Each structure stands twice: as structure tokens, then as C-alpha cells.
């Protein structure tokens, strides 16, 4: 839990799926489906201008009756994007997910995009770490019994 996000990114990779804010919602959704991801980062002039997630499709598009083939992703994205530094710990990141009520966080170090962490990535990391720790303890105990 006190491992840095950088360690998770080393395992996961640094790919961040980004789209231009001028594309339609339908095009953004196609991009998400093609890559089997739950969000895209939205760029304006090469900079992060927003984030668009499957929750937005549900609430702001379907829920509001917006036409995805004509409306632009810029019209429904969230503009105030929360980000984390790669030195943030797994535990700190979990707290941000809970406090900000979101499931995706771009990782930015000194203005550079280093990756994107989802709440699913954190769950997998925690599950893997618990399993590794349990295996380690089992081996330790078994070793002690055989000594
Ligand atoms: P999510 O739970 O990540 O699907 O997103 C829930 C809501 O929070 C949606 O309106 C997203 O646009 C927004 N959201 C998701 N991630 C972020 C983020 N890193 N910063 C700001 N808003 C976000």
C-alpha cells in the first residue's frame, strides 16, 4: 500500500488513450470500445483539457438525451481534471478515488503525462500484493516447520 504509483506503471505501461475535443461523442465511444477502456483523456492544443468516461456516457449523454453522432466530446467531458504524481502511494491514490468520486486518474510528473491509473488497476495491484504476501508467509511457516 505504500508502493508508489510509478511501480504500478512499470508493470502496466504508460499508454494513455487521448482524443481531440473536436471529435464527436460517438467517435470517442468507438475509441473506448476499440481499446476496451473506460475513459479517454481529451486534448485541446496538445494539452489535457478534460476527461470523458463511461459514466459520462450514462449520465450526460444517454441521461440527457444528447445525440452522440452530432455532439462533440468537449460538450460533455469533465474539464477540471484531477491528476496524481507518480510518487503518490497506492494508499494515497485510493483515498483520492474515494474523495473525488472518480475511477480514473492521469499521472502527471512536472507537466509530463506518465500514464493513467484506474480503480481497477489499484484493485488488481492490491489483490496481487496480498496473494504474494500470503505465499511468502506460507513458505516462511512451511520452512520453519521443516527446519
Ligand atoms: P468515473 O467514475 O471515472 O467513470 O467518472 C465519474 C465522473 O468523474 C465522470 O463525470 C468523469 O468525467 C469524472 N472524472 C473521472 N475521472 C476524473 C478525473 N481524473 N478528474 C476529474 N473528473 C474525473
Amino acid at each position: 500500500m505504500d508502493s508508489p504509483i510509478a511501480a504500478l506503471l512499470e508493470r502496466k505501461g504508460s499508454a494513455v488513450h487521448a482524443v481531440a475535443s473536436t471529435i464527436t461523442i460517438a467517435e470517442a465511444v468507438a475509441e473506448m470500445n476499440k481499446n476496451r477502456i473506460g475513459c479517454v483523456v481529451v486534448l485541446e492544443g496538445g494539452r489535457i483539457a478534460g476527461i470523458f468516461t463511461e459514466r459520462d456516457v450514462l449520465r450526460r449523454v444517454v441521461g440527457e438525451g444528447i445525440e452522440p453522432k452530432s455532439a462533440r466530446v468537449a460538450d460533455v467531458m469533465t474539464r477540471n481534471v484531477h491528476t496524481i504524481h507518480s510518487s503518490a502511494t497506492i494508499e494515497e491514490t485510493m483515498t483520492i478515488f474515494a474523495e473525488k468520486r472518480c475511477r480514473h486518474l492521469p499521472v502527471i510528473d512536472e507537466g509530463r503525462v506518465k500514464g493513467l491509473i484506474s480503480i481497477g488497476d489499484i484493485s488488481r495491484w492490491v489483490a496481487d500484493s496480498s496473494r504474494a504476501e500470503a505465499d511468502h508467509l506460507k513458505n516462511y511457516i512451511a520452512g520453519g516447520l521443516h527446519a
Side-chain angles (χ1 to χ4, degrees), residues 76-135:
V76 288
M77 68 187 186
T78 300
R79 283 196 177 264
N80 179 21
V81 181
H82 307 298
T83 63
I84 48 166
H85 195 271
S86 67
S87 62
T89 65
I90 301 287
E91 188 161 5
E92 286 164 348
T93 307
M94 287 169 83
T95 303
I96 296 172
F97 279 134
E99 281 177 357
K100 305 295 182 192
R101 292 174 178 270
C102 66
R103 295 169 296 175
H104 302 90
L105 283 168
V107 184
I108 315 269
D109 288 354
E110 287 76 47
R112 290 187 173 196
V113 182
K114 294 288 181 172
L116 189 135
I117 297 295
S118 75
I119 209 163
D121 297 327
I122 297 286
S123 305
R124 263 187 297 278
W125 177 274
V126 171
D128 288 351
S129 304
S130 307
R131 206 171 302 121
E133 195 177 341
D135 287 347

